[in-house]
Amino acid sequence: MKIVAKKKLWKYLFWLGPFLITVGLTAGLISEQWGLIPLVFLIAGIVISGLGIIWQSYQSNWWNRRSTQAGTNALVATLAILAILGLINFLGTRYHLRADLTEAQLFTLAPQSHELVKVLPQPVKVWVFDINQNPQDRELLENYQRQSSKFKYEYIDPQARPGLAEKFGVKDYGEVYLESGDKRQLVQTINENERLSEIRLTSRLQQLTNSTTAKVYFLQGHGERQLSPGKDAISQAVQGLGDKNFTTSPLNLGETSKVPQDAAVVIVAGPKRGLFEGEVKALQDYLNRGGNLLLMIDPNTDPKLNSLLQEWGVRLDNRLAVDVSGESVVGLGPAAPLVTEYGQHPITKDFGNGNSFYPIARPLEITSVPGVQATPLLRTKPYPSSWAESNLQSEKLEFNADKDLKGPLTLGVALTRKQTPKSTSTPQSAPTPSPLPSPTTQSKTSPTPSPSPKTPQALPSPTTQSKASPTPSPSPKTPQALPSPTTQSKASPTPPTSPASSASPASPAPPSPAASSQTATESRLVVLGNSDFATDGLFQQQLNGDVFLNSVTWLSQQDQQPLSIRPKEPKNRRITLTTTQANLLILSSLLVLPLIGFAIAVIIWWKRR
């Protein structure tokens, strides 16, 4: 009787444990304060429940049963899995690790966007005035936010917060604004058919955080592409430059006779008539003083730029670039070369094996010139896929070994030339191989490429020196001299590096002896054998727009400005079958394969019979 009474007592004590645990949990959850009382009930309940379980297992020899051991092992394994999953979830919330397995990296920011957001100088915030939060737009904004803690975004209902909407001037749902300090800018208006664009957001972000602008001039007066919308115009290219914080203006050298001092880049886009000798001379002078020039020259045209190009080792081939490999893909015929091979250059470093095409293009011939560094940008496929066709009148393009040139052909090249002009206080103190040129003589002398550092160079006259253009910052490996007062008189607003350079242009003081060192100047030139690729309609196709925008950005020598971002497109992996191939596939899958399986089954049955 005593043993039975003890068993009942432990049984009642066992139920007391869960009761105390329930009381402790209820007290803590209701009061929302886990103080002394809830903890006492919980600890007492857990202790009593544990003792009850141990007593029951001792009395019934429960631990030695096979079912108990199997159940315990399963419980331990389950708890271990839950602990591992909890640890993984905890690490995932603390440390963001994402892997984009798509070939085109559709869910990853472009390197240009990543670099720009990572070095934001001040906090920026994106305001999306919309009720619906599109998952695709949120994913893009979160990708930006992961790169820097200075980037924030927020969705706002204009009806719920009318004051904030009025502050930004919101007129419709879907407007996206970018704010940084006291600056605000409209990014775009999103809707069901147009989602938030990484290209536009990065461009506006760059404009908002970068206070510097560069002036780009388009040469006009020789049948070049028009800047306003129209047939064969380049208005989309002009708009693209505006999105990247460039300011554009037309330039007629027949009226001004020289390139303006504020020109960061001069673009000659598809001239149909030749330039006057004075205009070519103005472009040469511009390059000789550290300018940057983009030439896009179509076939069957003679812009009279041979004297300028000869100094840089470039010759325009009069033949037509033919590429039969991309005829079925591009759909523009063999006279539209499809380029997938690019040079190792900042303009094309992120292109990979992307496509760009150039309807009616001419090849370029590059020769080595001392002091000029040339890098081919665009190359066609090798022969027999491409060649330079000499017979432009023939309707059937065929390779002629006597007149035509085998591929690969160079359709674009980027060139740089270092110049080291000297500036001294007394011209007589510097050894020169020839007498100093007078202003009159200097104006009539054609510019020549700068000599190598080992060759002595004549000192420029004060008149010539006063018209020097702004010189870009030299590379860290090149020593830079302090500019003289005459040089600084018409320079760009780049901060001077010497007190002597801050002298007034009206009354220049004699330069200090330190100004007699060399000032490195780099001229840049990009020559493309086609201008159709940048016209409206073709500009946004594949990498065409990137070739143009990246070329201008590199020419502007603004190293802090990211290059163009190309849109990401999923790889087209569709298989195009002819009618015969489709019928053969249907016949093999519905008839041949089942018959083969049936025959194998019959053979196996016959052997086992």
Side-chain angles (χ1 to χ4, degrees):
M1 293 295 293
K2 291 182 178 180
I3 296 175
V4 174
K6 282 185 177 181
K7 288 183 178 180
K8 290 183 178 180
L9 179 61
W10 278 108
K11 183 177 181 181
Y12 295 144
L13 289 176
F14 174 78
W15 287 110
L16 180 61
F19 174 75
L20 294 177
I21 293 175
T22 304
V23 172
L25 291 175
T26 304
L29 293 175
I30 293 177
S31 63
E32 296 183 355
Q33 293 181 358
W34 298 91
L36 180 61
I37 296 177
L39 291 178
V40 168
F41 279 111
L42 286 174
I43 295 174
I46 292 173
V47 171
I48 293 174
S49 299
L51 293 175
I53 293 174
I54 293 174
W55 172 258
Q56 291 292 337
S57 62
Y58 175 76
Q59 291 294 327
S60 60
N61 201 19
W62 183 72
W63 287 105
N64 294 329
R65 297 178 184 177
R66 180 177 298 179
S67 59
T68 303
Q69 295 176 356
T72 303
N73 293 335
L75 178 62
V76 172
T78 302
L79 294 177
I81 293 175
L82 293 176
I84 293 173
L85 292 177
L87 180 61
I88 293 175
N89 188 39
F90 170 76
L91 295 176
T93 56
R94 292 289 300 272
Y95 306 99
H96 298 286
L97 179 61
R98 304 172 72 250
D100 190 353
L101 302 181
T102 59
E103 182 179 2
Q105 298 294 293
L106 299 176
F107 307 104
T108 306
L109 289 182
Q112 299 89 335
S113 301
H114 176 78
E115 294 174 4
L116 181 63
V117 178
K118 194 174 181 179
V119 295
L120 284 175
Q122 56 187 354
V124 297
K125 187 171 184 178
V126 175
W127 300 87
V128 184
F129 291 91
D130 200 357
I131 300 177
N132 301 320
Q133 300 186 15
N134 184 271
Q136 179 180 344
D137 297 342
R138 284 189 63 93
E139 178 68 20
L140 177 60
L141 293 172
E142 289 175 358
N143 282 342
Y144 276 93
Q145 192 171 9
R146 292 188 187 99
Q147 310 306 321
S148 174
S149 59
K150 296 182 179 180
F151 186 94
K152 303 293 182 182
Y153 74 92
E154 184 177 352
Y155 278 84
I156 299 296
D157 182 1
Q159 297 293 338
R161 301 181 63 180
L164 185 62
E166 184 180 358
K167 174 183 175 182
F168 281 86
V170 177
K171 299 179 180 178
D172 197 2
Y173 284 98
E175 293 186 3
V176 181
Y177 284 86
L178 191 63
E179 182 182 31
S180 178
D182 57 350
K183 299 179 181 178
R184 302 181 188 89
Q185 190 172 23
L186 175 65
V187 178
Q188 69 178 107
T189 302
I190 57 177
N191 50 51
E192 294 181 357
N193 300 323
E194 183 178 2
R195 303 316 316 167
L196 186 60
S197 169
E198 178 187 354
I199 299 176
R200 294 188 181 181
L201 184 55
T202 298
S203 298
R204 298 297 186 271
L205 184 62
Q206 177 185 343
Q207 292 180 14
L208 202 65
T209 57
N210 184 16
S211 58
T212 61
T213 59
K215 193 65 173 290
V216 177
Y217 285 93
F218 285 85
L219 188 65
Q220 299 289 289
H222 317 89
E224 290 89 353
R225 305 284 181 179
Q226 69 179 42
L227 308 183
S228 58
K231 183 180 180 181
D232 297 331
I234 56 174
S235 62
Q236 292 179 346
V238 174
Q239 179 62 37
L241 292 176
D243 293 339
K244 293 180 68 61
N245 219 26
F246 289 99
T247 57
T248 58
S249 297
L251 173 64
N252 192 328
L253 289 177
E255 298 175 352
T256 61
S257 72
K258 67 176 181 179
V259 178
Q261 296 290 338
D262 63 346
V265 182
V266 174
I267 300 177
V268 183
K272 294 181 174 58
R273 297 181 294 274
L275 278 67
F276 292 115
E277 183 178 352
E279 294 176 309
V280 178
K281 176 66 165 53
L283 294 178
Q284 289 175 321
D285 292 341
Y286 172 64
L287 288 174
N288 289 338
R289 67 176 192 246
N292 310 285
L293 183 62
L294 172 60
L295 300 177
M296 300 188 296
I297 312 300
D298 296 314
N300 296 325
T301 59
D302 184 12
K304 305 297 183 182
L305 292 171
N306 294 334
S307 60
L308 184 150
L309 294 174
Q310 186 177 2
E311 297 178 2
W312 293 77
V314 180
R315 189 182 72 85
L316 300 174
D317 198 315
N318 293 324
R319 288 170 286 197
L320 178 68
V322 175
D323 181 9
V324 296
S325 64
E327 181 176 359
S328 59
V329 179
V330 181
L332 298 177
L338 180 67
V339 174
T340 58
E341 181 181 348
Y342 305 93
Q344 297 296 325
H345 193 270
I347 295 177
T348 55
K349 67 176 181 178
D350 295 326
F351 285 4
N353 295 324
N355 298 325
S356 60
F357 55 93
Y358 306 86
I360 316 298
R362 68 193 308 167
L364 306 176
E365 180 181 336
I366 313 300
T367 57
S368 179
V369 172
V372 176
Q373 182 179 358
T375 303
L377 297 177
L378 313 170
R379 294 182 67 85
T380 63
K381 296 178 176 61
Y383 178 81
S385 296
S386 70
W387 69 87
E389 177 65 41
S390 58
N391 188 0
L392 306 182
Q393 306 299 328
S394 175
E395 296 181 358
K396 187 177 182 181
L397 300 176
E398 295 180 347
F399 178 76
N400 190 331
D402 298 333
K403 300 180 180 179
D404 300 339
L405 177 65
K406 292 183 178 180
L409 308 174
T410 300
L411 303 184
V413 62
L415 308 103
T416 59
R417 183 174 67 188
K418 292 287 187 180
Q419 298 176 348
T420 54
K422 296 182 179 180
S423 175
T424 60
S425 57
T426 56
Q428 290 80 3
S429 62
T432 57
S434 60
L436 295 176
S438 63
T440 306
T441 307
Q442 185 71 9
S443 62
K444 294 183 179 180
T445 304
S446 60
T448 57
S450 62
S452 61
K454 297 181 180 180
T455 306
Q457 184 181 10
L459 296 177
S461 63
T463 305
T464 307
Q465 188 73 4
S466 64
K467 295 182 179 180
S469 68
T471 57
S473 300
S475 60
K477 297 181 180 180
T478 306
Q480 184 180 11
L482 301 178
S484 64
T486 53
T487 306
Q488 190 69 16
S489 61
K490 292 189 178 182
S492 65
T494 306
T497 58
S498 168
S501 63
S502 62
S504 172
S507 58
S512 62
S516 60
S517 59
Q518 294 182 347
T519 302
T521 303
E522 182 180 81
S523 301
R524 294 184 178 183
L525 174 66
V526 173
V527 184
L528 304 176
N530 177 260
S531 66
D532 286 301
F533 79 97
T535 55
D536 295 352
L538 299 181
F539 178 80
Q540 297 178 341
Q541 299 295 325
Q542 302 295 326
L543 298 178
N544 287 13
D546 295 320
V547 173
F548 176 84
L549 294 177
N550 286 5
S551 297
V552 177
T553 302
W554 177 76
L555 286 171
S556 67
Q557 305 192 28
Q558 291 182 320
D559 298 333
Q560 75 278 9
Q561 191 174 33
L563 299 178
S564 176
I565 304 174
R566 61 183 182 274
K568 300 175 182 179
E569 299 178 357
K571 189 73 173 180
N572 184 7
R573 300 188 180 278
R574 292 178 295 179
I575 300 176
T576 304
L577 301 176
T578 62
T579 304
T580 303
Q581 292 173 334
N583 293 333
L584 181 61
L585 181 62
I586 294 174
L587 183 65
S588 62
S589 59
L590 297 181
L591 183 62
V592 177
L593 292 179
L595 287 178
I596 293 176
F598 180 73
I600 293 175
V602 171
I603 293 173
I604 294 175
W605 171 80
W606 181 262
K607 286 185 176 182
R608 293 182 177 180
R609 188 174 63 90

